[in-house]
């Protein structure tokens, strides 16, 4: 399993025994830089003073002198990054269905905020993006299946029409109805095949299929996408709102907790014989 973060914690606080004192060589004036105005950039590891107003208002020579002095203090270990402990796990999310397409599921958490004293809520978006390249009319059913969970690489959709599929024409095909379904056309606008969502319910109609233009050998790419966004969620709401895609459980030995802002990508899902569900542990707030 793996997870990635989406830009939160772009800076690390500075640890020191006291404020930084700087003496201007030209004027002889002594200035004090509060430690709270300094930080280490997580992008390149350098110390920054651009939260200190005299620095932002100063000229290039002044800024250069400050940067050099701060760099000296860092090399002398008088200014160091504050050690940060890894946040505890907030929850474990597992793909609702087994298979490698679960590895394309992403949970993005944002806008973590306090809605009442000591009560935190957050916004969440879940996406799945199944891409099937190099398909032909003859291999379509074998790959995505003609039943839910069928085929060598089951995902968001399966072929629901009887008979042999035809070569589809390029286009976007949103699924509609319940159970959600769509008719994919041939170049002459007759039916190439029909696709149905993996499960019944209103969430199936969030699926959109895109067919790429067939090449000279009538091979094409089929992409099925699913997406849902919700706001002001408590941890337990994830299971309710995203049950079509996810199973949400508490981490070992801990209750569900508010996750930290960032993107968690499921991993470890495998097809057919292994039939393993992709999963990931979501980190909590730092």
């Amino acid at each position: 399993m793996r997870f990635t973060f989406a830009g939160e914690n772009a800076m690390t606080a500075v640890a020191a025994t006291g404020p930084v004192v700087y003496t201007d060589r030209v004027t002889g004036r002594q200035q004090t830089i509060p430690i709270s105005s300094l930080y280490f950039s997580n992008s390149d590891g350098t110390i920054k003073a651009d939260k200190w107003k005299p620095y932002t208002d100063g000229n290039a020579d002044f800024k250069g002198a400050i940067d050099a002095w701060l760099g000296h203090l860092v090399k002398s270990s008088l200014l160091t990054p504050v050690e940060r402990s890894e946040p505890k796990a907030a929850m474990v999310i597992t793909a609702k269905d087994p298979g490698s397409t679960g590895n394309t599921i992403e949970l993005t958490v944002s806008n973590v905020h306090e809605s009442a004293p000591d009560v935190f809520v957050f916004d969440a978006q879940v996406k799945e993006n199944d891409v099937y390249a190099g398909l032909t009319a003859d291999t379509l059913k074998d790959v995505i299946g003609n039943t839910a969970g069928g085929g060598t690489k089951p995902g968001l959709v399966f072929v629901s029409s009887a008979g042999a599929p035809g070569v589809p024409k390029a286009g976007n095909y949103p699924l509609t109805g319940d159970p959600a379904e769509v008719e994919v056309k041939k170049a002459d606008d007759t039916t190439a095949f029909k696709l149905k969502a993996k499960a019944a319910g209103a969430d199936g109609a969030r699926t959109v299929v895109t067919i790429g233009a067939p090449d000279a050998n009538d091979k094409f790419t089929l992409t099925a996408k699913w997406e849902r966004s919700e706001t002001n969620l408590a941890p337990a709401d994830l299971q309710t709102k995203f049950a079509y895609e996810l199973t949400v459980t508490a981490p070992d030995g801990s209750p569900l907790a508010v996750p930290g802002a960032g993107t968690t990508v499921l991993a470890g899902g495998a097809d057919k014989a292994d039939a393993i569900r992709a999963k990931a542990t979501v980190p909590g707030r730092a």
Side-chain angles (χ1 to χ4, degrees), residues 134-143 159 163-168 186 192-193 214 217-220:
L135 292 175
T136 66
D138 292 336
T139 63
L140 180 65
K141 285 186 177 181
D142 292 335
V143 177
V159 179
V167 178
K186 296 180 184 179
F193 48 83
N217 297 313
D218 287 336
K219 291 185 177 181
F220 59 93

Side-chain angles (χ1 to χ4, degrees), residues 142-216:
D142 292 335
V143 177
I144 71 171
N146 58 1
T147 58
T152 58
K153 192 176 180 180
L156 289 167
V157 295
F158 63 91
V159 179
S160 57
S161 52
V167 178
K169 71 174 181 179
N172 292 321
Y173 298 90
L175 275 65
T176 58
D178 184 9
E181 195 170 24
V182 68
E183 180 182 10
V184 178
K185 300 290 189 177
K186 296 180 184 179
D188 62 3
D189 283 332
T190 60
T191 301
F193 48 83
K194 292 182 179 180
L195 299 173
K196 185 177 286 188
K198 66 175 184 176
D203 273 326
R206 297 179 185 273
T207 308
V208 177
V209 170
T210 300
I211 304 290
D215 65 15

Side-chain angles (χ1 to χ4, degrees), residues 52-72:
W52 184 47
K53 194 173 187 303
Y55 180 91
T56 57
D57 291 345
N59 59 33
D61 290 340
F62 176 73
K63 292 180 178 179
I66 293 294
D67 290 340
W69 179 235
L70 293 175
H72 168 74

Side-chain angles (χ1 to χ4, degrees), residues 87-92 251 254-255 257 281-284:
K88 294 182 179 179
M91 60 188 66
V92 177
S254 302
T281 298
V282 182

Side-chain angles (χ1 to χ4, degrees), residues 43 112 132 150 153 203 211 219 233 247 249:
S43 61
V112 181
Y132 301 91
K153 192 176 180 180
D203 273 326
I211 304 290
K219 291 185 177 181
L233 301 177
T247 298
T249 56

Side-chain angles (χ1 to χ4, degrees), residues 74-155:
V74 170
K75 288 181 180 179
S76 302
S77 299
L78 296 174
L79 299 176
T80 59
V82 172
E83 292 188 7
R84 302 180 60 183
S85 59
E86 289 295 323
K88 294 182 179 179
M91 60 188 66
V92 177
I93 54 174
T94 304
K96 182 69 174 291
D97 306 296
S100 64
T101 52
N103 299 331
T104 73
I105 297 175
E106 297 182 1
L107 165 65
T108 298
V109 173
S110 61
N111 191 29
V112 181
H113 63 281
E114 201 171 16
S115 62
D118 296 323
V119 177
F120 285 84
V121 295
F122 57 95
D123 299 344
Q125 180 186 66
V126 172
K127 295 180 180 181
E128 180 174 342
N129 186 32
D130 303 342
V131 180
Y132 301 91
L135 292 175
T136 66
D138 292 336
T139 63
L140 180 65
K141 285 186 177 181
D142 292 335
V143 177
I144 71 171
N146 58 1
T147 58
T152 58
K153 192 176 180 180

